[in-house]
Amino acid sequence: MLNVLIACEYNSGRSQIACTYLNAYGSNYFTTECGGLDPKPINPLVVLVMREEGYRIEGMNNAHSVYDLIGMNRNYDIVISVCSKEADKLFPVFPGHCIRLNWPYENPARIAGGRLQRLQAIRDMRDSIKKDVIEFVRGYEQRGLNLFLTFSESVLKSNA
């Protein structure tokens, strides 16, 4: 089993979506944990769009700061940030040898528009993260650890 940290700035939506899907589709290969630079409560619109798919994430522990995780001597084989490239640069170096990936997604709290527009944008983000996670797991099943560098590059290009 590979230990995976899914991280974003506030650990309040994108990371929970990615963790939920990685647990659903990759639990034979990965154990997951979420963390953030400055954890905030889970975004209620993210909770709602995940509930539409049958996942109840409102109880997920999102209180962990990445700095707390480092202080607890957590080691990860893979760290995936699901935030902007700029925010990804703010994350500390994690101990040990880990593969770092960045899947840049917009912060749900910063999506403009009315409630229905924001919900649709978050649904689109959820579906895109789900697609990336499924591709990530399938790629690992087919090619193992060699997959990650090429996968990271293709996701960066498609999300740019």
Side-chain angles (χ1 to χ4, degrees):
M1 294 288 272
L2 297 173
N3 294 320
V4 178
L5 173 65
I6 309 286
C8 66
E9 296 149 294
Y10 303 113
N11 195 33
S12 62
R14 296 163 288 184
S15 52
Q16 281 75 18
I17 293 169
C19 273
T20 299
Y21 287 128
L22 195 54
N23 285 331
Y25 296 106
S27 63
N28 291 335
Y29 313 108
F30 309 106
T31 58
T32 62
E33 190 165 23
C34 295
L37 290 169
D38 183 20
K40 304 284 186 214
I42 296 176
N43 183 312
L45 296 180
V46 171
V47 170
L48 185 61
V49 301
M50 290 304 287
R51 193 175 296 155
E52 291 172 352
E53 292 245 317
Y55 298 103
R56 301 190 63 90
I57 67 167
E58 57 270 15
M60 283 183 82
N61 183 357
N62 72 324
H64 289 303
S65 156
V66 292
Y67 303 104
D68 293 339
L69 296 171
I70 289 172
M72 290 186 268
N73 295 317
R74 295 285 217 296
N75 288 306
Y76 302 99
D77 300 298
I78 304 164
V79 175
I80 304 171
S81 64
V82 287
C83 52
S84 69
K85 295 174 194 176
E86 295 77 24
D88 177 65
K89 293 175 185 174
L90 300 174
F91 282 93
V93 174
F94 291 87
H97 300 292
C98 68
I99 295 167
R100 296 262 320 237
L101 305 175
N102 175 241
W103 300 352
Y105 285 97
E106 183 178 2
N107 184 342
R110 292 189 187 128
I111 294 172
R115 181 178 169 84
L116 292 178
Q117 291 169 313
R118 291 191 331 264
L119 272 170
Q120 188 56 51
I122 293 171
R123 282 184 190 110
D124 293 344
M125 178 186 305
R126 172 202 64 199
D127 295 345
S128 184
I129 292 172
K130 180 179 181 179
K131 179 180 168 253
D132 286 343
V133 167
I134 290 170
E135 184 179 332
F136 178 83
V137 172
R138 284 185 184 152
Y140 180 76
E141 289 172 334
Q142 294 169 0
R143 293 175 286 190
L145 288 174
N146 293 329
L147 156 78
F148 295 118
L149 292 176
T150 56
F151 180 79
S152 174
E153 292 169 7
S154 69
V155 169
L156 281 174
K157 288 177 189 170
S158 68
N159 290 323

